[in-house]
Amino acid sequence: MKRHLPECFVIDEPGPPKKRAHLDQVMYREKLAYSIIKHNYPFSYVEHEATRDLLEFLNPDVTPITRNTAEADVLKIYDREKTNLKEKLQKVTSRICLTTDLWSSITSDRYMALTAHYIDDNWVLRKKVLNFKVIRPPYNGKFLAKHMISFLRDWGIEKKVFTITVDDAKYNDVFVKWLNGNLLCDGDFTRVRCCGRVLDLIVQGALKVIEGTIEKVRESVKYVRGSSDRKYKFAECIHQMRSQCGKKVHQDIVTKWNSTYLMLDSALAYRHAYTRLAILNGSEYPAFPSKQEWERVETIIKFLKPFYNITTLFSRNSYPTSNLYFLNVWKIQKCIEDQINNVDKVISEMANKMKKKFDKYWESYSMILSFAVVLDPRYKFKVVEFCFKKLKMTDEVCKTKLDIILKGIHKLYDKKYGILSRINSSTTESSNICVDTLDDLDGFESFTSEFEGEKSQLDMYLEEPELNYKEELDVLQYWKENQRRYPQLSLMARDILSIPIITFASKSSFSFGGRVLSKYRSSLPSSNVEALLCTRDWLFDLEGIK
């Protein structure tokens, strides 16, 4: 009894004996592994003296573990969660859309990120990072396609792929062609260009027209942020000129045009404060923009604001965005065309440069993404016709573009979705067909007339009146509520609405990958990098935790 008491009660503390809590060593190790995955702690975290002191204080029965044990526990969780996710993907009834991109790490190794996007049976949009693998050279389309096929076979989803969203790199043209084995409609709708990247190319080229003015604003921001004394003086100028607007003095990243837009926007808000600072500092502040240059910045801000708003809208990652594609690309095209003949030569030159880039990448709107706006019950096909007629194109060109989209959506529905309804209807009607012994084709006339009069679910949907476009609508909720009316068409809507229009998911993987494989952990094996990154995404979501 004396030997047994200390195991069950804390008897060293004053007062009545307290019952000692039993420590589950397995659960304790799993919680440690979760903390490493969730907060990106090094494996050596479990060997830190203070960490062990804390754990022993909380429960003296704890058994310390080594970094090797912690690593093994993390890999064990990765394998378990991968098996669970693989089983879920096997049961997914919808098609799976992919985003992929390459990333160069601090060690100069190139990683390939593969992310799956799909809408589950509860009509919730899901995103899962499937792979984050080191890829050895050569980095051409053929070898990248082989890696992709290997990944898809490992997950067992090679026959479920719907679309692949990639950037404009040349190797992606070859890359997609090599994947045409199990793709819908022989891969006609597979390739989706990253809209964010195309927008970036369109605007970056136009900004070169005013790079002198932008450089002056950039140098002004650098000047203000260059020392604490200048920051203090600038704050005083803001107070004196009553220019306080809540915006921060924003320094841009030269390669990201949207950050340049924010820099120009915030600089314009404090224009009078910059003027006051130039008067106070005189020759010490040589990069001060002139009055004409400030007016130019104001004009450019108004011109670029729609582009910035659309980029921000496309970057949403928790809600389907494919139904937003057509209308917003149309807005961009209309905005460019409206400014081509602007009396301001600078704006006109910028618009013409944008038009060349737009025609290169978006002259033919992405067909599969154009289907998404048709499957929005507020717009359907009428909005496509309306938008094309608003652009500067002939009636013949407009009609050709409309026919392409109309034939394309019917081709996709008839080949892969409508066939299910025809099979079901033919099997149920077959019992009603009269087959007389005197004439094997007796009843054929009535059967064919019934079949010709039957409309597809797509046709019935398009003939229904549109909903009010001014009202907010959860498109997924609409199709969830109407899947009984349109069982096959709702399947097509579910697949199309899950298409990501930008490669944002891959970029977020790279952002976290840079924190996992930092300069302090550059020798971390690539298999551990993948395990840490993927498991965190599966358990906690890469965007959900900072």
Side-chain angles (χ1 to χ4, degrees):
M1 183 64 73
K2 286 182 179 180
R3 290 195 305 270
H4 178 68
L5 278 174
E7 295 180 6
C8 299
F9 295 92
V10 180
I11 58 177
D12 294 336
E13 295 182 5
K18 297 177 182 178
K19 193 170 182 178
R20 188 186 296 278
H22 174 69
L23 177 66
D24 186 337
Q25 293 285 351
V26 175
M27 183 58 67
Y28 149 71
R29 284 175 51 179
E30 186 157 302
K31 292 290 185 183
L32 269 181
Y34 280 152
S35 67
I36 291 171
I37 294 167
K38 186 173 184 178
H39 300 292
N40 193 29
Y41 295 145
F43 293 124
S44 59
Y45 155 76
V46 299
E47 294 182 347
H48 293 171
E49 185 179 347
T51 302
R52 290 186 170 181
D53 286 345
L54 173 62
L55 296 173
E56 289 175 4
F57 168 76
L58 295 173
N59 196 313
D61 295 337
V62 70
T63 302
I65 62 174
T66 65
R67 67 182 71 192
N68 292 333
T69 305
E71 178 184 348
D73 288 344
V74 167
L75 294 176
K76 183 179 178 181
I77 292 174
Y78 165 73
D79 291 334
R80 184 186 69 202
E81 294 302 321
K82 183 176 180 179
T83 301
N84 292 340
L85 180 58
K86 191 180 289 189
E87 291 175 359
K88 287 181 182 178
L89 293 177
Q90 298 295 331
K91 295 176 183 177
V92 168
T93 56
S94 63
R95 285 270 174 170
I96 296 174
C97 302
L98 305 172
T99 55
T100 185
D101 206 347
L102 295 180
W103 172 70
S104 294
S105 69
I106 193 171
T107 59
S108 299
D109 290 325
R110 300 200 76 180
Y111 283 77
M112 184 177 186
L114 176 64
T115 309
H117 306 257
Y118 62 93
I119 295 173
D120 63 19
D121 293 337
N122 294 320
W123 290 83
V124 177
L125 181 64
R126 303 292 184 186
K127 178 214 52 108
K128 302 293 180 183
V129 178
L130 301 184
N131 294 94
F132 196 75
K133 291 269 190 186
V134 167
I135 303 297
R136 306 301 177 194
Y139 304 113
N140 57 43
K142 178 179 177 181
F143 281 92
L144 291 177
K146 286 183 177 180
H147 285 296
M148 173 72 80
I149 293 169
S150 174
F151 295 161
L152 297 178
R153 285 176 180 168
D154 178 43
W155 286 98
I157 59 172
E158 67 273 16
K159 295 184 179 180
K160 290 188 173 186
V161 175
F162 188 42
T163 63
I164 303 173
T165 303
V166 291
D167 63 21
D168 61 310
K170 289 184 179 179
Y171 60 73
N172 282 323
D173 297 328
V174 182
F175 167 72
V176 174
K177 288 179 182 178
W178 273 81
L179 297 174
N180 278 349
N182 298 297
L183 301 177
L184 282 179
C185 298
D186 299 322
D188 290 348
F189 308 118
T190 302
R191 169 93 183 255
V192 176
R193 287 187 183 276
C194 173
C195 295
R197 178 58 181 157
V198 175
L199 260 175
D200 187 61
L201 291 171
I202 290 173
V203 179
Q204 285 282 18
L207 288 178
K208 291 179 180 178
V209 176
I210 57 161
E211 58 185 353
T213 301
I214 293 175
E215 188 60 31
K216 275 197 173 184
V217 174
R218 185 178 292 124
E219 290 301 319
S220 295
V221 174
K222 288 180 181 178
Y223 177 79
V224 167
R225 292 161 58 98
S227 70
S228 57
D229 181 54
R230 292 174 195 165
K231 288 179 183 178
Y232 179 74
K233 271 190 178 181
F234 188 68
E236 282 189 333
C237 292
I238 291 173
H239 180 72
Q240 291 171 5
M241 304 305 296
R242 298 181 181 178
S243 302
Q244 189 65 45
C245 64
K247 294 182 180 180
K248 295 181 178 179
V249 177
H250 193 91
Q251 176 70 58
D252 74 329
I253 301 171
V254 180
T255 56
K256 295 183 179 180
W257 78 266
N258 49 342
S259 72
T260 302
Y261 170 86
L262 290 174
M263 179 188 72
L264 296 175
D265 187 44
S266 64
L268 187 64
Y270 295 121
R271 170 183 175 179
H272 299 299
Y274 280 109
T275 304
R276 176 68 179 167
L277 184 65
I279 294 171
L280 293 175
N281 287 13
S283 59
E284 292 181 14
Y285 180 13
F288 176 68
S290 65
K291 180 182 177 182
Q292 291 76 15
E293 286 171 327
W294 280 120
E295 290 173 354
R296 175 73 61 220
V297 169
E298 188 174 6
T299 305
I300 296 304
I301 287 296
K302 290 178 181 177
F303 180 48
L304 293 181
K305 188 173 182 180
F307 296 85
Y308 176 78
N309 291 339
I310 290 170
T311 300
T312 304
L313 185 66
F314 282 173
S315 299
R316 292 160 61 183
N317 201 40
S318 58
Y319 183 78
T321 52
S322 57
N323 60 314
L324 307 174
Y325 166 86
F326 182 88
L327 285 173
N328 284 287
V329 171
W330 170 75
K331 286 178 185 177
I332 290 168
Q333 185 174 6
K334 191 172 185 305
C335 182
I336 292 172
E337 290 188 355
D338 289 345
Q339 300 300 327
I340 284 178
N341 296 318
N342 195 303
V343 292
D344 188 324
K345 291 184 179 180
V346 173
I347 296 295
S348 177
E349 187 178 352
M350 288 180 67
N352 276 288
K353 283 185 174 291
M354 286 179 164
K355 183 72 166 59
K356 290 178 182 178
K357 288 288 185 180
F358 185 95
D359 290 344
K360 180 179 179 180
Y361 296 106
W362 275 343
E363 183 178 17
S364 299
Y365 286 40
S366 170
M367 191 182 297
I368 190 69
L369 292 178
S370 298
F371 299 165
V373 76
V374 177
L375 294 171
D376 188 324
R378 296 169 295 178
Y379 304 119
K380 298 189 179 179
F381 206 77
K382 286 184 180 178
V383 79
V384 179
E385 185 177 1
F386 171 81
C387 290
F388 281 155
K389 286 185 176 179
K390 282 281 185 178
L391 296 173
K392 298 173 183 177
M393 60 176 67
T394 63
D395 291 341
E396 185 179 352
V397 173
C398 178
K399 186 177 183 304
T400 301
K401 287 180 176 289
L402 289 170
D403 287 343
I404 290 172
I405 295 176
L406 184 61
K407 289 177 181 177
I409 195 169
H410 276 93
K411 175 184 176 182
L412 179 62
Y413 176 79
D414 292 340
K415 279 195 172 186
K416 294 300 177 181
Y417 298 94
I419 190 171
L420 298 174
S421 59
R422 291 199 295 273
I423 290 171
N424 293 337
S425 61
S426 64
T427 53
T428 54
E429 292 174 9
S430 60
S431 59
N432 298 324
I433 300 174
C434 176
V435 181
D436 194 281
T437 53
L438 298 176
D439 185 1
D440 289 339
L441 295 180
D442 186 29
F444 178 72
E445 277 186 20
S446 60
F447 172 73
T448 51
S449 62
E450 286 176 11
F451 187 81
E452 288 172 358
E454 182 182 322
K455 293 182 179 178
S456 71
Q457 293 174 23
L458 177 59
D459 291 328
M460 289 189 291
Y461 164 76
L462 292 175
E463 289 176 2
E464 283 190 350
E466 294 81 11
L467 302 182
N468 187 355
Y469 73 92
K470 294 182 180 179
E471 294 182 0
E472 288 291 327
L473 176 72
D474 186 333
V475 181
L476 288 186
Q477 185 63 29
Y478 170 85
W479 282 107
K480 181 180 180 180
E481 293 171 354
N482 287 273
Q483 58 185 329
R484 290 181 179 270
R485 294 175 59 211
Y486 304 116
Q488 276 69 50
L489 185 61
S490 65
L491 294 178
M492 186 169 87
R494 184 172 64 173
D495 291 343
I496 290 175
L497 290 172
S498 66
I499 300 173
I501 60 178
I502 64 172
T503 57
F504 179 80
S506 296
K507 305 300 183 188
S508 64
S509 301
F510 301 155
S511 177
F512 186 67
R515 295 200 292 273
V516 173
L517 200 63
S518 65
K519 61 181 180 180
Y520 302 109
R521 303 174 74 185
S522 58
S523 60
L524 197 66
S526 59
S527 57
N528 287 358
V529 174
E530 181 178 41
L532 289 166
L533 187 143
C534 291
T535 312
R536 171 166 166 170
D537 179 70
W538 303 337
L539 293 174
F540 309 113
D541 184 12
L542 288 181
E543 284 79 47
I545 299 170
K546 303 300 180 184

